[in-house]
Amino acid sequence: MPAFVVGAPRSGRASKGHTAVGPFGDARHRRGRRRRTHPPADEVVVAGPFDGAYGSWNLTAADVRGVQTYRWALLACAAATAAGVAGGLASVDPHALDAAAAVATASLGVAFWTIHVYLKPAHNLLKGLWVVGTVGGGVLGAATWAHGGLLAATASTPALLLGWGWLFVGATGLFFKEALCFGRPEAVGLAVGLPLLTGGHFMSGVAGGEAAGLGATLPDWEAPAAVAWAALFVFFAARKVWGQEVVADLGDKSVFAMLDERAAAAAKERGE
């Protein structure tokens, strides 16, 4: 079969510098086009379409990874919190409690960044609370390290919560979001219990004395309350990881798309 040559002479032979192609185009170009038709790994559809408020949408591999990251971050935060509470009651080295708090803080940050919230200002507020609380905790942790660390110092000086307690404010917001979206009793318990526990410690103060461990300085009611709350947190996070469909945490993607379109239109009107 004679080759079809772009700009070739009438003899049908491809001149130098020209590309010989078959009746359906160059084979290399066809292969390239076929490769480009495959979506990126993140955009591979794993389920759907789903009916949304503003149109249909699909669940992609990136969506699944984001939800799993959020849930495993919650579980890591819960595990670190439980370890810290247990260590405090067992009067372990106070610096080990600060290490557990650091793991919990980092995990909470990952959860804040990967949670799906329709309202962007609310999402940014969670991130901002995490940043303020983390910076404050880092500064106070460095200042109190020689005297037992941040948690030991906060146990005996509740006013230090003004510097890093914003982490608990953000976590309370996360639990309220979970309670409002899913109505699970453990989420309601966490959302109500955390401000009562931290606010109660801040308002009531402590018995006094040096902190050999947190259990030595907390009022009688705080130790069992902290144990119960930490256990509930672990149960909540484990149920998120192993007992809930991915699409539940993702929400309605058509709403996110609509909000993005509105934001883009508003920015265009402002000339941004």
Side-chain angles (χ1 to χ4, degrees):
M1 178 182 295
F4 294 90
V5 182
V6 179
R10 293 184 179 181
S11 63
R13 298 178 58 189
S15 60
K16 186 176 181 181
H18 293 84
T19 303
V21 297
F24 302 104
D26 177 55
R28 291 172 299 173
H29 293 173
R30 294 199 303 275
R31 288 194 297 270
R33 284 197 295 272
R34 284 197 296 270
R35 283 196 296 268
R36 286 194 294 271
T37 60
H38 294 293
D42 285 350
E43 298 178 9
V44 172
V45 174
V46 297
F50 299 94
D51 293 329
Y54 298 92
S56 61
W57 55 274
N58 293 314
L59 180 70
T60 66
D63 297 330
V64 174
R65 185 173 62 253
V67 170
Q68 289 177 339
T69 300
Y70 166 67
R71 293 177 177 179
W72 282 102
L74 285 178
L75 186 58
C77 183
T81 300
V85 170
L89 296 177
S91 298
V92 300
D93 182 356
H95 296 102
L97 306 182
D98 280 14
V103 173
T105 299
S107 302
L108 185 64
V110 173
F112 281 168
W113 254 259
T114 53
I115 190 176
H116 287 82
V117 181
Y118 290 133
L119 298 178
K120 192 171 184 179
H123 195 184
N124 289 337
L125 177 60
L126 291 180
K127 296 177 182 178
L129 289 170
W130 183 86
V131 170
V132 173
T134 300
V135 172
V139 172
L140 292 173
T144 59
W145 186 258
H147 306 286
L150 178 61
L151 292 188
T154 304
S156 58
T157 310
L160 291 179
L161 284 171
L162 292 173
W164 68 285
W166 307 105
L167 291 169
F168 301 119
V169 177
T172 300
L174 183 151
F175 296 134
F176 267 113
K177 180 265 182 189
E178 289 283 343
L180 290 173
C181 289
F182 306 114
R184 291 187 168 181
E186 62 268 26
V188 176
L190 293 172
V192 174
L194 184 57
L196 289 178
L197 186 61
T198 55
H201 178 69
F202 179 79
M203 296 300 295
S204 65
V206 293
E210 295 185 359
L214 296 190
T217 60
L218 296 178
D220 292 340
W221 65 269
E222 282 195 38
V227 170
W229 191 91
L232 190 62
F233 190 9
V234 172
F235 175 73
F236 161 81
R239 196 177 177 198
K240 293 288 291 182
V241 171
W242 292 293
Q244 194 171 25
E245 294 182 353
V246 170
V247 292
D249 273 325
L250 188 60
D252 185 347
K253 286 178 66 176
S254 72
V255 175
F256 289 106
M258 178 273 295
L259 292 174
D260 289 341
E261 290 175 1
R262 287 185 179 179
K268 187 176 181 180
E269 289 181 358
R270 294 192 301 267
E272 296 181 3

